[in-house]
């Protein structure tokens, strides 16, 4: 397996990655922010440009997106925010990830958070803020597995966002 940036040769694999979520009835893919209408050229230029501060939508901060690739298939995605604004400090955190439904419970989410922490380490961040819904058992396990220490949760109108500080190795 490898952790990779999206590239031109991933066009088929991206379509298959997105279709996997669709088949499972999951309309939103957390951490994968490419617009479905974009060409592969646009995906590569924009998503990779965000990490260098290019093509950022209004109000966004630079972020790095990486995929978990195995045998030519993209199985999961991680998005790492380089800095946090007030809203992300409350609700979004530094790192988001998604594993395609057909590849869950194989340790890929755990590997994606490790990859995200490595990106933060390279940026000189030593504590990552991670957030997830109170009922997201998988994500809570992943965060705890990386040494996450709970900090004040945020009560939303429609639920509770748990927040953790995770040491960056
Ligand atoms: C949450 C998610 C990323 C987990 O990915 P995954 O690759 O299945 O996770 P892993 O295989 O690394 O599992 C990590 C741990 O969580 C446990 N786990 C994973 N999914 C679980 C579930 N649905 N219920 C209970 N435990 C679960 C695993 O058993 C494992 O436990 P262990 O550390 O004791 O061995 C994945 O379900 C997903 O993409 N969900 C939709 C998007 C999402 O919620 N992203 C996170 C936003 S904060």
């Amino acid at each position: 397996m490898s952790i990779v940036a999206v590239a031109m040769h991933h066009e088929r694999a991206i379509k298959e990655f997105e279709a996997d979520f669709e088949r499972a009835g999951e309309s939103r893919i957390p951490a994968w922010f490419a617009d479905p209408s974009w060409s592969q050229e646009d995906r590569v230029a924009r998503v990779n440009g965000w990490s260098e501060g290019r093509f950022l939508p209004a109000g966004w901060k630079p972020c790095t997106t990486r995929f978990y690739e195995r045998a030519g298939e993209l199985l999961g995605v991680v998005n790492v925010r380089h800095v946090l604004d007030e809203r992300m400090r409350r609700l979004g955190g530094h790192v988001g990830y998604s594993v395609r439904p057909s590849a869950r419970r194989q340790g890929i989410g755990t590997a994606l958070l490790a990859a995200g922490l490595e990106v933060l380490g390279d940026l000189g961040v030593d504590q990552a803020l991670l957030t997830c819904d109170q009922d997201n058992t998988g994500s809570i396990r992943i965060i705890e597995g990386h040494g996450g220490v709970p900090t004040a949760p945020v009560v939303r109108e429609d639920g509770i966002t748990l927040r953790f500080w995770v040491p960056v190795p």
Side-chain angles (χ1 to χ4, degrees):
M1 79 87 179
S2 42
I3 300 290
V4 297
V6 64
M8 282 307 292
H9 68 272
H10 285 134
E11 184 164 15
R12 180 206 56 79
I14 287 281
K15 283 195 179 125
E16 180 47 37
F17 176 77
E18 292 176 343
D20 199 322
F21 287 85
E22 235 174 84
R23 280 193 294 273
E26 297 183 28
S27 54
R28 203 173 71 84
I29 307 178
W32 178 232
F33 299 116
D35 190 293
S37 70
W38 290 351
S39 67
Q40 183 65 4
E41 235 166 28
D42 276 345
R43 277 186 204 117
V44 172
R46 290 174 183 275
V47 172
N48 293 329
W50 294 339
S51 67
E52 289 151 12
R54 292 184 288 118
F55 303 114
L56 287 168
W60 277 39
K61 305 282 188 199
C63 58
T64 296
T65 302
R66 293 287 180 263
F67 278 91
Y68 182 108
E69 181 175 23
R70 192 170 65 202
E73 299 299 333
L74 301 177
L75 303 183
V77 65
V78 60
N79 179 264
V80 184
R81 299 185 177 99
H82 299 187
V83 283
L84 298 179
D85 59 17
E86 199 42 46
R87 189 179 131 74
M88 290 304 148
R89 194 170 283 281
R90 269 171 54 78
L91 295 172
H94 278 106
V95 188
Y97 37 79
S98 292
V99 176
R100 64 195 266 182
S102 65
R104 290 184 185 160
R105 311 295 289 261
Q106 300 174 28
I108 296 173
T110 301
L112 285 168
L113 177 52
L117 295 176
E118 205 174 314
V119 170
L120 287 172
D122 290 344
L123 292 167
V125 176
D126 55 13
Q127 292 280 324
L129 186 69
L130 267 289
T131 68
C132 69
D133 278 354
Q134 180 177 232
D135 57 3
N136 194 337
T137 311
S139 196
I140 294 169
R141 295 288 283 271
I142 290 171
I143 294 168
E144 287 176 346
H146 283 278
V149 176
T151 185
V154 171
V155 180
R156 312 185 314 265
E157 266 179 20
D158 58 344
I160 293 179
T161 298
L162 300 181
R163 299 163 72 249
F164 302 82
W165 286 111
V166 177
V168 176

